Amino acid sequence: MLGMGGSTNLDFLRFLVLIPFCLPLTSAAAETSTSNICPMDLNYVLRIPWNNTLCRNFNPLAQNDNSTTTIKAQCCQAILSLFGVALSQHLKETSFFQLPNLATSSSCLQDYQSKLSSLSLSYNLVSHCFNPLQFVTAPNICARIETSQDWVDQLGKSTSLDSDCRSDLTDLTACASCLRAGFTVQSLLVYADGNQTHAQDCFYFAVLYAAGIVNEFGPESDGVVSCIFGLELNSSVGSASNSHSALVFGLTGAGVAILVISSLLGLYLWYDKKWRRKKNLGFGFDLDEQQGSRPKLRPNTGSIWFKIQDLEKATDNFSQKNFIGRGGFGFVYKGVLSDGTVVAVKRVIESDFQGDAEFCNEVEIISNLKHRNLVPLRGCCVIDDDVNSDERGNQRYLVYDYMSNGNLDDHLFPSSALDASLLRGGDSSNSNPKGTMERFVLVGILCAHIMVALRPTILDALKMLEGDIEVPQIPDRPVPLGHPSFHADGNNFSISPVLSGPKLQPGAMLR
């Protein structure tokens, strides 16, 4: 009896010792059981009239073939979109995009499977489509976003989703705008994340944010379910929205293709422009970035490269009141620059220049000429067709210092006598005005002769105007090659210094 009673007391003491250790374990188990309860209400699965025909035809235990694989992918996508309704509502209530831990995710998926089973779908459908880990929150899913506040920190308080996905998305136009905004925000998230492989997860986050935070009708509305989640509804509204979603996705793909083609075309034009720029460097001209949106050829003379806007302002948009006259190759206008300088602007209309390089080369030559009887060239301006947006066309301008002494006609045929400024040293008392006038006229005729080879150079023309050399006899028709005028005799001007032999150069053709 004693022995038996002592054994009973010993067992009782052991029980009392074990109680403190058992109580924490029981409490922890109770807390774990409580924390594993799914925080999401999944009864909407039975309320939303989604079309589950694909999932009814899917048997996870069937042998895999092409048709089975296709049906599985479509069914898994459908139930993923349906599960997204709960996740977007969870985001709206808790500000978290995902579930807190693996146990909670597993609990929610079990509850989700029970709701699907009540619709006579396969009992193991969820386990074949999902991994519980894919719904557990983590910082490396997309751009380190875990909460709605992280979203705002990355993209700001307002994005295209906030403006385009707020209204009723059963409207086809509103649905199209929302989908475009989704792709735009996806691009921003991928750029912020820096990992292109997260593109699908970033689009998944954009869908949850648009459905749970932005849309004012809520995640379970027909517009959100059919447009944002892309579920086919048994109602006519859902079917129309889903069909339109497919159309919008197709149009979006076409838009992306057009964007890629445009980018390639722009790259080609950029390369061609760069190649032409390098080619133009061979002409020996500087590149000036100030004219328009692309580099321009500028003469190496120190002369000013004018902008067309400056010339238009100086001449009052080439007003008729500023028209001076018509020159050899175009019209001349009087203008006043912004610094008050009075200039003469010649708009070149007819010229023999084949391109900007030849024109700039001619400007360089003229700019280097300095003589008291030549009007100084101040600068030039060139406008090309490919950079001109207001249909001015290919135009060239020459800008001279304005001379207020009248034109050539005033000096050659004055009202009383020959202008003394045309005479050497201005001494008109010992000069022959009639002879000087005749010499000037002859030089002008010779410079405009029909035979290019008979025209004097600028230097020889100046010498003839000043009387340093005699003006040769001007033939009225082309002369034979053996004519004496083809050869210099010392003091006289040779009509064609380049024609020292019996062969004409290509430049000596009739014009």
Side-chain angles (χ1 to χ4, degrees), residues 55-69:
C55 292
R56 289 183 180 277
N57 297 331
F58 171 55
N59 182 9
L61 302 179
Q63 183 177 3
N64 289 334
D65 54 22
N66 292 336
S67 60
T68 304
T69 302

Side-chain angles (χ1 to χ4, degrees), residues 73-388:
Q74 294 175 345
C75 175
C76 289
Q77 179 60 49
I79 63 174
L80 175 63
S81 298
L82 188 63
F83 192 64
V85 175
L87 289 174
S88 60
Q89 183 65 35
H90 178 259
L91 171 64
K92 183 177 182 179
E93 296 172 353
T94 66
S95 78
F96 283 93
F97 280 87
Q98 301 281 71
L99 299 174
N101 51 54
L102 180 61
T104 304
S105 177
S106 299
S107 175
C108 289
L109 290 180
Q110 290 176 6
D111 192 8
Y112 188 43
Q113 177 63 65
S114 66
K115 295 296 187 293
L116 295 177
S117 298
S118 64
L119 295 175
S120 301
L121 300 180
S122 176
Y123 70 92
N124 56 358
L125 189 62
V126 171
S127 61
H128 274 75
C129 292
F130 303 141
N131 182 349
L133 283 174
Q134 74 184 85
F135 302 109
V136 178
T137 186
N140 59 345
I141 297 178
C142 174
R144 306 188 65 83
I145 293 177
E146 298 182 33
T147 66
S148 56
Q149 183 59 44
D150 296 336
W151 174 284
V152 173
D153 294 340
Q154 284 286 357
L155 301 177
K157 295 184 179 180
S158 179
T159 64
S160 54
L161 281 180
D162 295 277
S163 58
D164 295 337
C165 296
R166 184 175 300 276
S167 60
D168 183 9
L169 298 180
T170 56
D171 179 74
L172 300 183
T173 303
C175 177
S177 300
C178 181
L179 291 176
R180 285 195 298 268
F183 285 114
T184 301
V185 171
Q186 178 198 24
S187 302
L188 296 176
L189 290 174
V190 173
Y191 178 79
D193 184 87
N195 190 344
Q196 189 65 35
T197 59
H198 292 169
Q200 184 174 358
D201 293 329
C202 290
F203 185 74
Y204 169 68
F205 273 26
V207 167
L208 294 182
Y209 191 85
I213 303 297
V214 176
N215 190 266
E216 57 186 9
F217 293 92
E220 294 186 33
S221 64
D222 288 345
V224 172
V225 172
S226 61
C227 179
I228 295 180
F229 291 108
L231 280 173
E232 182 180 356
L233 299 180
N234 291 328
S235 63
S236 57
V237 173
S239 300
S241 299
N242 189 69
S243 301
H244 181 71
S245 299
L247 176 62
V248 171
F249 275 104
L251 293 177
T252 304
V256 171
I258 294 175
L259 179 62
V260 171
I261 295 175
S262 301
S263 301
L264 293 176
L265 180 60
L267 182 63
Y268 167 76
L269 295 177
W270 172 83
Y271 178 80
D272 181 67
K273 168 184 170 182
K274 183 177 180 181
W275 178 83
R276 285 188 299 164
R277 178 181 177 183
K278 290 182 177 180
K279 181 179 178 182
N280 288 334
L281 287 176
F283 290 105
F285 300 109
D286 297 330
L287 287 174
D288 189 359
E289 296 289 347
Q290 299 179 357
Q291 180 74 13
S293 59
R294 57 171 247 177
K296 291 289 189 175
L297 289 172
R298 182 186 181 192
N300 295 324
T301 60
S303 58
I304 301 174
W305 186 280
F306 289 94
K307 294 183 179 180
I308 183 59
Q309 292 82 1
D310 296 336
L311 299 183
E312 290 177 343
K313 182 178 180 181
T315 60
D316 194 14
N317 202 20
F318 296 97
S319 173
Q320 190 65 27
K321 67 180 181 180
N322 291 324
F323 179 74
I324 298 176
R326 181 183 178 96
F329 298 105
F331 300 103
V332 182
Y333 297 84
K334 180 181 178 181
V336 180
L337 300 178
S338 57
D339 60 357
T341 304
V342 182
V343 294
V345 182
K346 175 183 284 188
R347 177 189 286 174
V348 180
I349 297 179
E350 301 174 359
S351 68
D352 298 326
F353 304 124
Q354 299 301 317
D356 291 346
E358 184 178 351
F359 174 76
C360 292
N361 183 63
E362 189 73 14
V363 171
E364 182 177 6
I365 294 175
I366 298 176
S367 299
N368 286 325
L369 292 175
K370 306 296 180 183
H371 194 273
R372 65 176 182 272
N373 290 333
L374 290 179
V375 180
L377 178 64
R378 178 174 288 267
C380 62
C381 174
V382 176
I383 301 178
D384 291 340
D385 289 326
D386 54 347
V387 299
N388 184 38

Side-chain angles (χ1 to χ4, degrees), residues 411-422:
H411 291 289
L412 292 182
F413 305 102
S415 57
S416 59
L418 188 65
D419 193 337
S421 64
L422 296 178

